[in-house]
Amino acid sequence: MGRPRHMESQIKALVVAGVLLLTAVTLAVSIGQGFALRWEENRRWLYTVRSVLEALDRPQAEIVVAMLRPAWRVFPGTAGRSGGEILRSRDGEMWAAFPNDEVLWEELLESNRPLLVVALVTLLLVLEISIFWAYAIVRPLRRLAWACRDMGSGRWPDLGPEGASGTYEIATLHEAFRHMVDRLQQWQRVERQVGRMERLAALGQVVAGVAHEVRNPLASLRIHLDLLEVDVLPAGQPSLRVLGDEVDRLNQIVSQLLAFSRPRPPIGGPVDLGEVVSWCHQMVRDRMSRQGVSWRETGFDGARPVPGDAAQLRQMLLNLVLNALDAMPRGGELHVGTRYGEDDGPGGVRRAALFLSVEDSGEGIASELLPRLFDPFFTTRPEGTGLGLALVHRIAELHGGAVDVVSSPGRTIFTVTLPEREGDAP
Amino acid sequence: MKLLGLLAPLGVFGAYTLAVILLTGPGFVWNENRRRFYLAGRGAGLWASVATFGATWMSAASLLGYPESFFWDGMVAFGGAVNGWLLGLLPLPWIVAVLRRSRALSLPEWIGKTFDDPRLRRLTAAALLLAYVLYILIQFRSFGGAVSHLLGIRYAVGASALVYLFVLYTTFGGMPSVIRSDVLNFWLIVVGVTVAAVVAVGRVGGVEVLVRRLATEAPELLNPAAPWEVLGGMAAMTLGWGLGVAANPQYAVRILSARSPRVALGMLAIVPFFLGVIYLGLTAFAATGRLVAAPVLRQGGEAAFLHMVSMVLPPAPASLFLVALIAAAVSTANSQLLLAASSFCYDLMDRWRTTLPEDIFLFRNRLAVTVIATLALGGSLLPFPDILTVGRFSWTVVALCFFLPLFWPLSGRRQGLFEAMGLSLVLHGVLVFGLHLPPEGSLLPSLLLERLSWRWFSRKGEEA
């Protein structure tokens, strides 16, 4: 089987061949008819001249014969001139006349020049239109093929704006493809969420067991370290303090693990977000001045209280702010803002929501890392635990909300969506 | 012979149009974006760049206006127009590095970003739109004249409207299509003019006979000792054309669309050779026309010049020359239509640029091309002054908008250019339309005012 032919070329060839044929036939008919008419006219004129000549002597006959030119080539005498029309005067003088085809064609072309120009222009115009037409048909198909290839290589394709796909049939094909892509994306999202929940559940069980078992020895270690502090000589005190700090750090990690794996349900109540933000600012003020980061907050004046757990919301915001500070080791601007709007609640029902955003001017997050950002233990920092953002995600979920991130070089924004009305929260 | 005279124009015109259509078609791609549409994805090779630069350079004003001007003014026209045009080429290599560093898709965008003033972007885009509509009008008028003469149809809307056959089609695919059609246009211009010159000079008996006959029959054409006022006018014309050429965005865009700075520099190095050949050919052809068809040319106007072409040349070379004239008009018109559309859609309509999806944005560009072409077509039927006068006005406006920003060293002063440019354009308008000064005469004082007022406004801005 040979290579398949291009539909574009076929459309062009068909349209042009059709118009070429039509033009050729029109021109042939028009010019052919003109030729036949002129030929007939010329011949009638010759017969008229011939009958007139029979009544004239040579001097007058020569004047009349000249009138046959240029449509006829006329030669005196007939010797050696066979095939022509013979003309004879009353006194016996003879001429041979031959039709002058070149003049006939010139006259024909001259009189048909407008027709020739129109035919040429029409032909060229149709060729252009066929190219545009072929382009309009083929372009959406090529785009679709490219989209399929993209999907095959694991990327979600961009088919451009809806309704820009030309004819009805191709638009329907595009729409069906778009619908298929939407459904696949939805399915992938659900699959990812289910997988994450299963992983978290399994992880939670293990972590909760381990954390519980580790917490008791840690408490015992802490008590004995405190008791030792009285008996240890001054030279050993620094080592004791280091041991104490490390035990505290381990305890904090274990608490985080427990909070993540067995979160307590949020204690409902109106929370003043302005107060949460200002507490958070107090907590990080020293670190910000060390790093040369400026603080900006917008939208909290006159902000309405939201239903939620103040302690959890504090923890969530603090984690986001600490994460932002980690992203700006050489200074920058940290912007905490809030705005009111609507989002899709459970079941796709629109509801009033509050959007709390934390924006930093750091280097940004690589796009391939974004889908894994809220997974527990996923971190890019050697000293990180990978639990901060996972906890943010968990708290947002517990409040019936969600967290989202967009990032580009020089700008990363985490946005937490919280339902504004208590009934909308679980 | 008469039959050939009838068929040759139709055949040559048909073959040219067919070639343009077939060459340009593959430029329509399915995965286009504005970078590809405006700048051919910055991927034009050396010879494609040379061809598109040369074809755009040789406009109808060059092929039709210059020989006509030579008939009346001889070497003064050569000195003023040709020197001016070529003078404009000299400083272009200096802006290659500056332009190539930027990621701008248009010259107004480059100016707006370089001087950190969005108003400048809008002002230069609006001025460019006006100047190019006027210039496209010239191309359409010449195109209409050449086509009506070639096909033997009456010069009217019909003849000019045939321009749609070319410009809408070649501009549809954006810069890639324009470049593809320019390759054909450029070689047609080179071959058409060269053949016309060789045949014409051959008909009078060679170069020596031509010069000898000119010296006796029209000595004033070769006389370099022209009066001071004529020489002054020539110098002003040279500067006017030169500054306009140097600052013309259609050349800057070709520097941007070249594959690399090296290709852009190569293009600027090669192109003068071909331009020189074409100008010499045109000069020889015009000089022959003066000897052979002086009574016809004395009637003046484009129609007389076109008639002279048929008198001086046999049917086939005459048809080739007229098609070269059409190619020059088409190549300049489609390049300027693309730039005018980009000025409107990309530089003036902020919302279109930032909010529209790529497909719709490009569709509006095509719509803008059609509207601008229709406006220019309507304008080409109005009784405007002669070709060179309209051309001079357009080029001086372009020079006032782009010369200083492109060529004046910045040295940290970026404020005040908008006010200075606005002031100079107002002065230029007053001098040309109020005091009826020739555009090239008004250019220098306006440019001087722009420079001085820029200095003043920037100092004032720094103090504030």
Side-chain angles (χ1 to χ4, degrees), chain B residues 47-314:
Chain B
W47 286 102
S49 296
V50 167
T52 190
F53 192 100
T56 312
W57 183 284
M58 297 314 298
S59 69
S62 316
L63 258 67
L64 191 59
Y66 165 63
E68 201 184 329
S69 166
F70 184 88
F71 173 83
W72 296 105
D73 302 324
M75 294 313 282
V76 173
F78 183 87
V82 177
N83 280 352
W85 287 323
L86 290 177
L87 183 78
L89 252 179
L90 292 176
L92 284 178
W94 271 265
I95 59 170
V96 170
V98 178
L99 288 177
R100 298 288 310 192
R101 264 202 302 273
S102 125
R103 297 177 70 85
L105 300 186
S106 73
L107 210 52
E109 184 191 6
W110 178 82
I111 289 181
K113 284 185 175 166
T114 305
F115 294 88
D116 200 18
D117 190 346
R119 295 173 308 165
L120 265 177
R121 181 176 187 174
R122 283 187 216 111
L123 176 67
T124 49
L128 196 146
L129 191 61
L130 169 79
Y132 275 2
V133 167
L134 282 178
Y135 212 74
I136 293 165
L137 178 158
I138 301 175
Q139 310 306 324
F140 283 8
R141 206 156 82 173
S142 309
F143 176 91
V147 167
S148 71
H149 192 78
L150 195 65
L151 301 183
I153 50 177
R154 216 164 59 80
Y155 177 77
V157 186
S160 302
L162 286 181
V163 81
Y164 279 118
L165 223 89
F166 300 91
V167 290
L168 296 189
Y169 184 76
T170 49
T171 323
F172 180 84
M175 194 65 164
S177 293
V178 168
I179 290 178
R180 279 173 162 272
S181 63
D182 277 352
V183 171
L184 173 74
N185 290 331
F186 178 65
W187 290 112
L188 253 177
I189 296 167
V190 172
V191 173
V193 171
T194 310
V195 168
V198 170
V199 172
V201 171
R203 283 191 83 177
V204 293
V207 178
E208 268 182 51
V209 179
L210 175 71
V211 175
R212 208 168 46 236
R213 279 186 62 185
L214 271 181
T216 51
E217 292 175 35
E220 70 281 5
L221 293 192
L222 300 177
N223 187 8
W228 279 110
E229 60 269 23
V230 175
L231 286 177
M234 186 177 97
M237 193 173 168
T238 304
L239 268 177
W241 284 113
L243 297 180
V245 165
N248 196 325
Q250 62 184 2
Y251 307 129
V253 157
R254 271 145 186 85
I255 290 173
L256 283 172
S257 69
R259 192 175 292 155
S260 63
R262 198 184 162 89
V263 167
L265 288 169
M267 168 185 83
L268 294 174
I270 293 172
V271 130
F273 167 73
F274 287 103
L275 298 181
V277 169
I278 296 171
Y279 283 131
L280 280 178
L282 283 174
T283 307
F285 179 66
T288 315
R290 170 69 191 245
L291 295 179
V292 177
V296 174
L297 283 172
R298 275 204 187 89
Q299 295 163 16
E302 294 140 39
F305 175 78
L306 292 167
H307 187 50
M308 180 274 275
V309 173
S310 302
M311 285 179 69
V312 174
L313 298 172

Side-chain angles (χ1 to χ4, degrees), chain A residues 110 128 131 135 139 143, chain B residues 6 29-30 151 165 169 359:
Chain A
E110 191 63 58
E128 285 189 1
I131 288 175
Y135 176 75
R139 186 178 182 230
R143 187 173 257 195
Chain B
L6 278 167
V29 291
W30 62 272
L151 301 183
L165 223 89
Y169 184 76
D359 269 21

Side-chain angles (χ1 to χ4, degrees), chain A residues 154-167:
Chain A
R155 288 189 300 272
W156 291 113
D158 174 21
L159 278 177
E162 281 185 44
S165 308
T167 58

Side-chain angles (χ1 to χ4, degrees), chain A residues 93-105:
Chain A
E93 190 67 28
M94 286 168 59
W95 292 269
F98 297 86
N100 193 344
D101 286 348
E102 197 178 324
V103 169
L104 193 63
W105 280 113

